[in-house]
Amino acid sequence: MVEDSNGLRSIFLEELWNSPPRIMEPTCPIYDAPSNSDMVRHRIILSCDQVEKLKKWAGTKCKSIGLETLHLSTFVVTCSLIWVCKVKSKDPDTEVTDPKDDDSYCLTFLADCRNRSKLSVPSTYFGNCLTICHVELQKEKLVGENGILEAVSAIGGEVRGLRGDPLKGFEWIVSGRRRRELGRQSQHVMIIAGSPKLNVYETDFGWGRPKMSEILHADDAGAMCLSDCRNQERGGIEVGLALSAIQMKKFNAILDEQLGDIDIVVPHRILYTI
């Protein structure tokens, strides 16, 4: 359907051929969360006005310190804000580090390639056409004075790069060597799950729209979950996280401080145990 200018077909086949056989069974047991679990879920709701104020602040501040803002979207500014707050909330006394680790942190998300001019996938195509986007920043930049701005510039640059060649570097990302590297850095990888463009709260199977949407694997994967807002105007965004009670308390304090510095009213939030 699309021209394979990067030779991905042979790379995929080689990876599949060299991969060990897998037994078609669940890789982990299914069980209820223990009653003494200290994990809590946190849901943050940013209104359209709050998001627009965050975009304006990020654009102005990036320009003043010489950082490029190639793409300022709701996705970019929201992920930047939450990513920085989560990294800052980590307890250095309990964090497991690799002696070879250079303290780089990774943000990984999927992007839809169907409407990218480079691929020209037919409008009649029915199915997934996704690429993996990968942003990597040093910890010192994320936790520094301009951490959110550094994240905005890096994530925005990755999203903007999709306009050119959305599959650029894909052969390296899916390689076995890269997966092993990410495995070693699992403590430092944050995955984005969901998207506000999926409009989950508009879903109606005959008994009304959902009151709350959850992505269950977020607890174990350490993911940031994004969706549209049920009771907000279009342009708002809902963010879900699952952290330990201690880290969540620190995360909330840091988030309030960051928003206060930007002069944004503390957003509506829901906090509950798992």
Side-chain angles (χ1 to χ4, degrees):
M1 291 181 58
V2 297
E3 183 181 349
D4 185 14
S5 57
N6 296 350
L8 295 178
R9 181 176 181 275
S10 59
I11 294 172
F12 288 157
L13 290 175
E14 184 178 355
E15 286 293 328
L16 287 172
W17 181 263
N18 294 327
S19 298
R22 297 177 180 177
I23 301 175
M24 299 302 292
E25 294 180 358
T27 56
C28 58
I30 300 174
Y31 55 88
D32 294 329
S35 58
N36 61 347
S37 172
D38 71 338
M39 294 289 288
V40 294
R41 281 183 179 266
H42 187 191
R43 184 176 299 273
I44 308 158
I45 300 173
L46 292 171
S47 69
C48 180
D49 290 341
Q50 289 171 321
V51 170
E52 290 303 316
K53 194 167 187 178
L54 184 56
K55 289 180 188 178
K56 185 176 180 180
W57 171 84
T60 302
K61 294 290 287 184
C62 281
K63 186 176 181 180
S64 68
I65 63 175
L67 279 175
E68 287 187 309
T69 52
L70 298 175
H71 187 83
L72 271 178
S73 65
T74 299
F75 175 85
V76 170
V77 296
T78 302
C79 289
S80 299
L81 172 67
I82 302 301
W83 189 24
V84 167
C85 291
K86 185 182 178 185
V87 172
K88 285 186 173 182
S89 69
K90 282 197 170 186
D91 186 352
D93 296 330
T94 60
E95 188 175 346
V96 179
T97 58
D98 190 313
K100 297 180 180 179
D101 181 28
D102 59 357
D103 281 335
S104 62
Y105 281 69
C106 308
L107 186 78
T108 300
F109 55 95
L110 298 177
D112 190 353
C113 294
R114 287 176 295 183
N115 297 321
R116 311 297 175 183
S117 58
K118 178 79 175 182
L119 298 181
S120 300
V121 177
S123 59
T124 53
Y125 173 74
F126 182 77
N128 290 329
C129 184
L130 303 172
T131 187
I132 301 174
C133 296
H134 182 72
V135 179
E136 192 166 337
L137 278 176
Q138 298 298 113
K139 181 179 179 180
E140 62 181 359
K141 287 188 175 183
L142 283 172
V143 302
E145 180 182 357
N146 298 315
I148 296 176
L149 306 178
E150 293 280 0
V152 164
S153 181
I155 299 172
E158 184 70 16
V159 174
R160 181 63 178 269
L162 293 170
R163 297 183 182 180
D165 184 358
L167 297 180
K168 183 180 180 180
F170 197 77
E171 63 276 11
W172 180 69
I173 292 174
V174 300
S175 69
R177 181 170 64 87
R178 184 54 184 162
R179 288 198 301 271
R180 289 190 292 272
E181 289 178 6
L182 287 176
R184 288 195 298 268
Q185 293 182 339
S186 58
Q187 293 287 331
H188 295 169
V189 177
M190 189 170 194
I191 300 170
I192 307 299
S195 169
K197 292 184 177 181
L198 295 177
N199 295 323
V200 294
Y201 286 107
E202 298 299 321
T203 305
D204 188 346
F205 293 103
W207 53 84
R209 295 187 300 141
K211 292 185 177 181
M212 184 177 289
S213 172
E214 291 282 8
I215 297 179
L216 298 180
H217 69 265
D219 303 352
D220 297 325
M224 179 198 308
C225 309
L226 304 179
S227 73
D228 54 321
C229 302
R230 188 181 193 280
N231 298 317
Q232 294 282 343
E233 72 281 13
R234 285 194 174 275
I237 190 168
E238 196 171 285
V239 185
L241 284 174
L243 302 171
S244 69
I246 294 175
Q247 185 178 357
M248 188 67 80
K249 184 176 181 181
K250 292 175 64 178
F251 172 87
N252 280 327
I254 293 168
L255 178 63
D256 290 351
E257 181 182 0
Q258 294 283 356
L259 292 175
D261 292 341
I262 306 172
D263 194 25
I264 294 178
V265 178
V266 176
H268 175 64
R269 54 172 59 124
I270 304 171
L271 185 66
Y272 53 98
T273 58
I274 297 175

